[in-house]
Amino acid sequence: MWWRSASFILDKNDSFLRDDSETRLLSPPPSSSMAQTLDPNLTISPYYQTRAAHHGVVTSDWLAQAHAAAGRDTATPSSEPEASLNSIGSDNSFSVIDEFNNWRKQPDLAEAVAAIRALASVIRSSQATTMMELQNELKTASDSLKSWDMTSISLTAGCDLFMRYVTRTSAVEYEDFDSAKSRFLERAEKFGEISYKARKIIAMLGQDFIFDGCTILVHGFSRVVLELLKTAAENRKHFRVLCTEGRPDRTGLRLSNELAKLDVPVKLLIDSAVAYSMDEIDMVFVGADGVVESGGIINMMGTYQISLVAKSMDKPVYVAAESYKFARLYPLNQKDMVPALRPIDFGVPIPSKVEVETSARDYTPPQYLTLLFTDLGVLTPSVVSDELIQLYL
């Protein structure tokens, strides 16, 4: 591990996250053309539906849809969802799932951060009169969010970390209920802000590893990787990016459009051309759906094979992931995790006797990763377990 915390950079440049004492605790669904080719018995996981809505997933008419996705308004999300939070306290029919879905409508807001915001609203709207009742309400709301999508690693980890960060304060032992509730809400909002700003912290740390004239391979569409590359470009670094197409989503196509708008030289690769192009690549950048206890990552399908090729050719593989994606999981192989299913469109009818692999992600062991850029600092994979212990204590 190199930098223990990113706060010193933010304090120096932006006066960002001034109090670092608590940071440790830290598009519509697939189109009908795709749906027509699916097995009617196949259940698409909410995890993948969220990716489809937020990542501009494209299908057979991919080029037109990609241009449309690239032209969307990418303004900074507002600090409040569509429903006014000021009136929630008087609404006895408050639903944490509805609140979560309101926050999820913001394309640039991560699913875990939407859950954290929704849980903060639970505190704000609570009618509890004792700390036990309030904690039980939070626990019930957290369990509801986690059960909403059992395949989302970041959602589960975000809820668990929220509960530990917000409820574990000695203040509740010495203050009256109203003051303790206010303390809970203060910590909840602070945790939400820390989580929302994590992407900026990671971008500031990771861009230092990009040098002039380098060529970067990126797999899929990761908002934190895009922010990192955008920060490097804004700092007048000259580099080029190779984007994998990322079948069947072709999310790499959307990333290439976003990079082109930043005037970053970009080239699209079909997924099977990774090994062919690896000799011209200086480094690999990928995001993560989850960082597990071994120091490995669970990410979009294809990350594992790209890491294997990069390792064999001695190219560094860098992971950009927020700390709320640190999960208490220890997969031993590719099948040792809850599958996240996605639709597959080959463009032609597939006989019913032909089995199609529909998993949306794979597991990359830590030995194939070089460094992880997180809002906790720049970590080696071996340090991840230590960070997880501190986060979940």
Side-chain angles (χ1 to χ4, degrees):
M1 182 181 71
W2 292 347
W3 298 312
R4 187 64 180 81
S5 172
S7 61
F8 69 95
I9 296 179
L10 297 174
D11 288 338
K12 179 179 179 181
N13 295 343
D14 295 332
S15 297
F16 202 22
L17 290 178
R18 295 181 182 277
D19 182 9
D20 189 50
S21 62
E22 296 177 327
T23 61
R24 301 295 312 143
L25 282 173
L26 221 193
S27 199
S31 68
S32 58
S33 63
M34 177 181 287
Q36 290 171 358
T37 66
L38 297 180
D39 180 346
N41 297 321
L42 177 62
T43 301
I44 306 305
S45 67
Y47 157 83
Y48 186 77
Q49 293 176 26
T50 299
R51 286 188 66 94
H54 285 191
H55 292 63
V57 170
V58 291
T59 54
S60 54
D61 52 341
W62 54 273
L63 188 57
Q65 292 192 28
H67 283 298
R72 289 175 183 167
D73 181 16
T74 56
T76 302
S78 63
S79 60
E80 300 291 342
E82 293 181 2
S84 173
L85 294 182
N86 295 329
S87 62
I88 288 178
S90 61
D91 184 4
N92 293 328
S93 62
F94 172 75
S95 166
V96 69
I97 299 298
D98 291 342
E99 183 69 12
F100 170 64
N101 285 327
N102 279 336
W103 284 105
R104 276 201 324 130
K105 291 176 183 176
Q106 301 182 15
D108 292 330
L109 198 66
E111 190 175 73
V113 179
I116 290 166
R117 299 290 196 187
L119 289 172
S121 297
V122 171
I123 302 175
R124 189 179 293 108
S125 65
S126 175
Q127 302 299 317
T129 57
T130 66
M131 290 309 303
M132 181 64 72
E133 291 178 5
L134 180 57
Q135 292 187 25
N136 287 340
E137 282 187 24
L138 279 174
K139 179 67 165 57
T140 300
S142 175
D143 291 344
S144 296
L145 288 172
K146 290 191 289 185
S147 63
W148 179 83
D149 182 9
M150 301 293 290
T151 64
S152 177
I153 298 170
S154 62
L155 177 61
T156 298
C159 289
D160 288 343
L161 288 171
F162 177 94
M163 293 297 294
R164 282 161 175 77
Y165 180 81
V166 171
T167 62
R168 296 194 176 185
T169 170
S170 59
V172 299
E173 300 177 7
Y174 307 105
E175 299 179 356
D176 60 82
F177 173 73
D178 289 338
S179 299
K181 181 179 178 180
S182 297
R183 181 64 62 92
F184 269 27
L185 184 58
E186 177 185 346
R187 290 173 67 86
E189 292 177 343
K190 182 176 179 64
F191 186 73
E193 287 301 311
I194 291 171
S195 301
Y196 180 73
K197 295 173 181 177
R199 199 177 299 165
K200 180 177 177 67
I201 300 173
I202 295 168
M204 296 179 69
L205 290 176
Q207 60 93 24
D208 284 341
F209 289 78
I210 297 176
F211 55 87
D212 282 337
C214 71
T215 299
I216 303 168
L217 175 65
V218 178
H219 181 54
F221 186 92
S222 166
R223 287 170 291 195
V224 65
V225 171
L226 176 59
E227 182 70 23
L228 192 156
L229 297 175
K230 179 181 178 182
T231 300
E234 289 173 347
N235 287 335
R236 302 183 183 278
K237 294 194 175 185
H238 302 284
F239 57 94
R240 63 192 290 254
V241 178
L242 274 58
C243 295
T244 59
E245 181 190 17
R247 284 280 295 166
D249 315 84
R250 297 187 176 96
T251 46
L253 188 64
R254 184 188 174 198
L255 181 63
S256 67
N257 277 268
E258 296 291 340
L259 292 172
K261 291 194 296 185
L262 299 173
D263 293 326
V264 173
V266 61
K267 178 180 178 181
L268 272 174
L269 302 177
I270 58 174
D271 294 334
S272 55
V274 168
Y276 171 82
S277 304
M278 190 60 73
D279 59 349
E280 62 180 293
I281 291 167
D282 295 298
M283 64 191 73
V284 178
F285 272 95
V286 296
D289 293 330
V291 180
V292 298
E293 293 183 56
S294 64
I297 62 169
I298 297 172
N299 193 42
M300 177 181 174
M301 183 66 74
T303 303
Y304 182 31
Q305 61 193 27
I306 289 174
S307 301
L308 284 169
V309 174
K311 180 73 171 181
S312 68
M313 299 182 70
D314 205 23
K315 308 289 185 177
V317 178
Y318 298 135
V319 180
E322 302 90 333
S323 61
Y324 57 72
K325 294 180 178 178
F326 281 39
R328 301 178 70 180
L329 298 173
Y330 204 107
L332 300 177
N333 55 51
Q334 298 298 327
K335 309 298 182 182
D336 195 19
M337 53 187 174
V338 178
L341 305 181
R342 62 179 174 181
I344 305 292
D345 181 14
F346 290 102
V348 295
I350 304 298
S352 59
K353 295 181 180 179
V354 176
E355 183 180 359
V356 176
E357 175 59 63
T358 57
S359 180
R361 61 196 182 191
D362 58 25
Y363 165 61
T364 303
Q367 61 265 32
Y368 302 108
L369 307 176
T370 307
L371 291 172
L372 293 92
F373 302 130
T374 79
D375 47 302
L376 303 179
V378 181
L379 314 176
T380 61
S382 61
V383 175
V384 168
S385 59
D386 294 337
E387 295 296 330
L388 270 160
I389 290 172
Q390 294 185 55
L391 285 170
Y392 282 95
L393 274 178

